[in-house]
Amino acid sequence: MDLKRLFKPQTMAVIGVSLSNESNPANVIYNKNHLRYQVKAYPVNEKGGLVRGETVYPKISDIPAKIDLAIIATKADIVSSVMAECIESGVGGAVVISGGFSEAGFTNLQNRIVSMAKEANFPFIGPNCLGIFAPSHMDTFFIPGERMVIPNQGRVAMVSQSGGILVDHMAKCALEGVGVSLAVSIGNKALINEIDMLRYFREDAGTDVITFYLEGFDENEGRTFVLAASACGKPVIVLKSGKTPAGSSAVKSHTASIAGDYEVFSSAMSQYGIVEATDEYEIVTFAESLCCYKKTIKGSIGIITGSGGHGALATDTCLSHGLFVPTFSEAEQAELRNSVSPSIRNIASFSNPVDLTGSSTDDDFVAAALTLSRNNNIECIIMLLLPYIPGITMDLGARLNLVYQQEGKPIIAYVPHVDKYNMLIEGFTLNNMPVAHSVEDAVHMAEAMKRYRPC
Amino acid sequence: MLNQEILQLLTEASARGWLMEPQAKEVFRLSGLDVTRFLWTEDSQEAIRFAVKIGYPVVAKVVSPEVIHKSDVSGVVLGISGDKQLGEVFKEMGRIKGFQGVIVEETVRGTELIAGMKMDRQFGPIIMLGIGGTSVEIYKDVAIRMAPLREQDIESMLMSLKGRPLVEGYRGAEPINVEALKKMLLAFSSLVMEFEGRVGSIDLNPVICNASRCVITDARIMLTGYL
């Protein structure tokens, strides 16, 4: 099935727009696309008439343009006849927003639209979903624009069974400066499911990392998903809900009793290098990290800090997350010592964490980062940058980016996320380097690279 | 690998829903996995003659279609050192519900592991490896992977166990023969790939591993549809 017209439409018909109720979901969708997005939107209602001064078309076939995407937001019982009209008119695909299908017990209604779509090779998302959000291009969510927190255009694709979760993850992406290529709420996933989305994003040149919020798989779908994700060549991050504990029963085998649904899910993901996030923050953190560094590490971390306490906390967190912070040899320490300015050589500590102290300057951080970038025993550098230190300036992000560009070793920065340090933060983010909002978050970013294993 | 004899053993158990230890072990023996030498008999004199032949100490285990977990009904006795004790154990076990004889088998010493399989609804056949024995459900020190296993999967399973020192040789013990374990798990993995639609889950518990071999000392096969 070709999903291009569905996800990259030039034209959109919104079916079910009300002539009198502006808060009708179809009206919300029509209005925002008509007023704010690149896609050309047409309202459809069998009564015809005008909405916001624009012509309302009674039928999709009345629209004087070829329609790529139909948004179906009618009552469930007429969805199948609307879909038949879409197919008849050569529409490229649909998002079925309407609920009232298998989630409400009306499985037959759902089966009817699935078999119709399959027969006509007509792709649709849903039903019972928010649909598709493509930054600056289109937005089929029935949420008024002013209520949404919209992330920038970027390279992370997000797929979610739940629309509410998707909107929330998008807000978190926006707050962390993580850009989104496409966000899709697949709802009942009656036709297009996670595996179809994986195949689409695998080919999508605008996507580098794919995240999924998953509730459950149908029979054997988990296996297909894992194998497709591991072969897709891009990092895949998953967050699972419904982690029901394995039940115990005297008549079960020990294996059936211990290997419950979630234990199997989690093991299969990690077996194939798919990165499992444990909460909504991790999924965004992992995406930020893997979007910048699509590589795998064994877990050897070098820490550079201006505060001993932060270095110690970062070390503890690394160790509790399966990463190691190897102590540097005398020779390695001497090399680091010689690289920094003479004024801190006798007060700084070079054993890992490298504590440059509060007397350090940008130059010292750059020198230490350069030295560790050339140390083959270290796979990733965590830099704890505290802008309270007088010698640290807002230029340090962009300067460390040059070190990364030159040496190619991943650098993860921690900078407190407050407005006045934005320039320092953007020195990293605008140059495609991850910045964590806490010490722990920085460690999670490194952990993402350890969990990701391209096949 | 799934030959007529194995299919026959699975078919015979279909009414009960699971294979008792002697038949389950036979399935793995036929598949080329190392299984303890044992005799299944209802005659205590025959049991004693076999024990003398293989040498004491021996293990005795009850066989009953009504007993899935033998330890729960005192149906396993280890370290039986002579004819008299074996005769007494035999008599005791005769009182267990559904008694259909006793397995007498060689004693194997080493680290007790569990290897298991489950046909998962979402992920298909999966394999579990962990520290075995009767307390496996308490400590749950196990690793799970989708079958078929690759050699790297077995290595990472062993690496992830908290009880890994027991495998590597703890407090003077010799490390287990990892190659024998790998060989067994790879054979087990190919076998279970052919069990789809027939078998629901399997416990090989314990698999006893020492420096020379990895041997299945107990096995249970649950057919599809049986819990």
Side-chain angles (χ1 to χ4, degrees), chain A residues 220 223 253-255 259 271, chain B residues 118 121 137 146-147 201 203:
Chain A
N220 229 21
R223 173 170 287 254
S253 66
H254 292 305
T255 307
Q271 181 182 4
Chain B
K118 178 193 159 193
R121 199 184 73 82
E137 291 200 32
M146 253 167 48
S201 68
D203 282 342

Side-chain angles (χ1 to χ4, degrees), chain A residues 340-351:
Chain A
V340 301
S341 38
S343 59
I344 63 162
R345 279 181 194 163
N346 292 326
I347 55 172
S349 155
F350 299 99
S351 59

Side-chain angles (χ1 to χ4, degrees), chain A residues 252-411:
Chain A
K252 271 186 186 168
S253 66
H254 292 305
T255 307
S257 163
I258 297 171
D261 288 350
Y262 175 64
E263 286 76 9
V264 171
F265 171 90
S266 185
S267 305
M269 294 299 150
S270 85
Q271 181 182 4
Y272 282 88
I274 298 159
V275 183
E276 186 192 351
T278 53
D279 61 35
E280 73 222 75
Y281 298 103
E282 267 192 13
I283 195 168
V284 175
T285 297
F286 287 172
E288 181 173 359
S289 168
L290 291 171
C291 205
C292 299
Y293 306 128
K294 282 167 278 297
K295 53 173 75 184
T296 185
I297 60 171
K298 289 199 179 74
S300 167
I301 308 295
I303 298 171
I304 302 174
T305 179
S307 140
H310 285 79
L313 277 177
T315 305
D316 290 348
T317 314
C318 280
L319 298 183
S320 67
H321 286 72
L323 303 166
F324 14 97
V325 184
T327 304
F328 292 134
S329 66
E330 287 299 327
E332 287 170 319
Q333 293 193 34
E335 200 185 358
L336 278 161
R337 185 175 292 112
N338 291 332
S339 72
V340 301
S341 38
S343 59
I344 63 162
R345 279 181 194 163
N346 292 326
I347 55 172
S349 155
F350 299 99
S351 59
N352 200 16
V354 176
D355 176 11
L356 299 175
T357 77
S359 304
S360 54
T361 64
D362 285 1
D363 290 343
D364 298 319
F365 279 92
V366 170
L370 192 62
T371 308
L372 286 196
S373 292
R374 292 172 180 169
N375 182 334
N376 290 334
N377 297 322
I378 294 299
E379 299 170 282
C380 170
I381 302 165
I382 291 180
M383 309 218 51
L384 308 171
L385 301 180
L386 306 159
Y388 332 119
I389 295 175
I392 288 186
T393 77
M394 295 298 115
D395 299 332
L396 186 51
R399 288 188 66 190
L400 286 169
N401 179 253
L402 287 178
V403 175
Y404 169 65
Q405 294 295 337
Q406 187 183 315
E407 304 297 327
K409 185 157 293 178
I411 298 176

Side-chain angles (χ1 to χ4, degrees), chain A residues 78-371:
Chain A
I78 64 161
V79 166
S80 69
S81 65
V82 171
M83 191 179 281
E85 284 175 37
C86 291
I87 292 168
E88 180 73 28
S89 311
V91 173
V95 169
V96 182
I97 308 281
S98 323
F101 292 88
S102 70
E103 85 285 359
F106 299 102
T107 310
N108 284 347
L109 219 50
Q110 184 163 312
N111 291 345
R112 199 186 309 159
I113 59 172
V114 170
S115 55
M116 180 195 297
K118 275 187 178 161
E119 199 173 308
N121 217 11
F122 179 78
F124 77 87
I125 299 281
N128 185 33
C129 69
L130 287 182
I132 309 164
F133 170 85
S136 77
H137 187 77
M138 70 153 165
D139 172 1
T140 76
F141 295 5
F142 57 80
I143 301 170
E146 69 276 10
R147 287 178 183 269
M148 287 174 62
V149 183
I150 294 180
N152 290 331
Q153 167 94 43
R155 307 190 64 79
V156 176
M158 310 176 85
V159 179
S160 173
Q161 237 177 299
S162 150
I165 294 280
L166 185 63
V167 173
D168 201 39
H169 286 180
M170 283 167 56
K172 292 196 166 60
C173 281
L175 291 174
E176 295 295 329
V178 175
V180 168
S181 60
L182 200 68
V184 186
S185 138
I186 56 177
N188 292 4
K189 53 173 180 165
L191 182 71
I192 292 177
N193 62 17
E194 290 88 355
I195 296 154
D196 300 295
M197 294 310 304
L198 260 178
R199 290 185 182 130
Y200 176 78
F201 287 124
R202 173 192 177 143
E203 304 302 328
D204 180 36
T207 296
D208 281 345
V209 172
I210 312 158
T211 72
F212 287 90
Y213 165 76
L214 302 165
E215 286 172 358
F217 290 116
D218 285 340
E219 195 161 344
N220 229 21
E221 238 179 51
R223 173 170 287 254
T224 314
F225 176 85
V226 164
L227 297 177
S230 106
C232 100
K234 297 178 182 180
V236 175
I237 303 166
V238 297
L239 173 64
K240 165 96 169 79
S241 71
K243 298 172 181 169
T244 335
S248 190
S249 150
V251 292
K252 271 186 186 168
S253 66
H254 292 305
T255 307
S257 163
I258 297 171
D261 288 350
Y262 175 64
E263 286 76 9
V264 171
F265 171 90
S266 185
S267 305
M269 294 299 150
S270 85
Q271 181 182 4
Y272 282 88
I274 298 159
V275 183
E276 186 192 351
T278 53
D279 61 35
E280 73 222 75
Y281 298 103
E282 267 192 13
I283 195 168
V284 175
T285 297
F286 287 172
E288 181 173 359
S289 168
L290 291 171
C291 205
C292 299
Y293 306 128
K294 282 167 278 297
K295 53 173 75 184
T296 185
I297 60 171
K298 289 199 179 74
S300 167
I301 308 295
I303 298 171
I304 302 174
T305 179
S307 140
H310 285 79
L313 277 177
T315 305
D316 290 348
T317 314
C318 280
L319 298 183
S320 67
H321 286 72
L323 303 166
F324 14 97
V325 184
T327 304
F328 292 134
S329 66
E330 287 299 327
E332 287 170 319
Q333 293 193 34
E335 200 185 358
L336 278 161
R337 185 175 292 112
N338 291 332
S339 72
V340 301
S341 38
S343 59
I344 63 162
R345 279 181 194 163
N346 292 326
I347 55 172
S349 155
F350 299 99
S351 59
N352 200 16
V354 176
D355 176 11
L356 299 175
T357 77
S359 304
S360 54
T361 64
D362 285 1
D363 290 343
D364 298 319
F365 279 92
V366 170
L370 192 62
T371 308

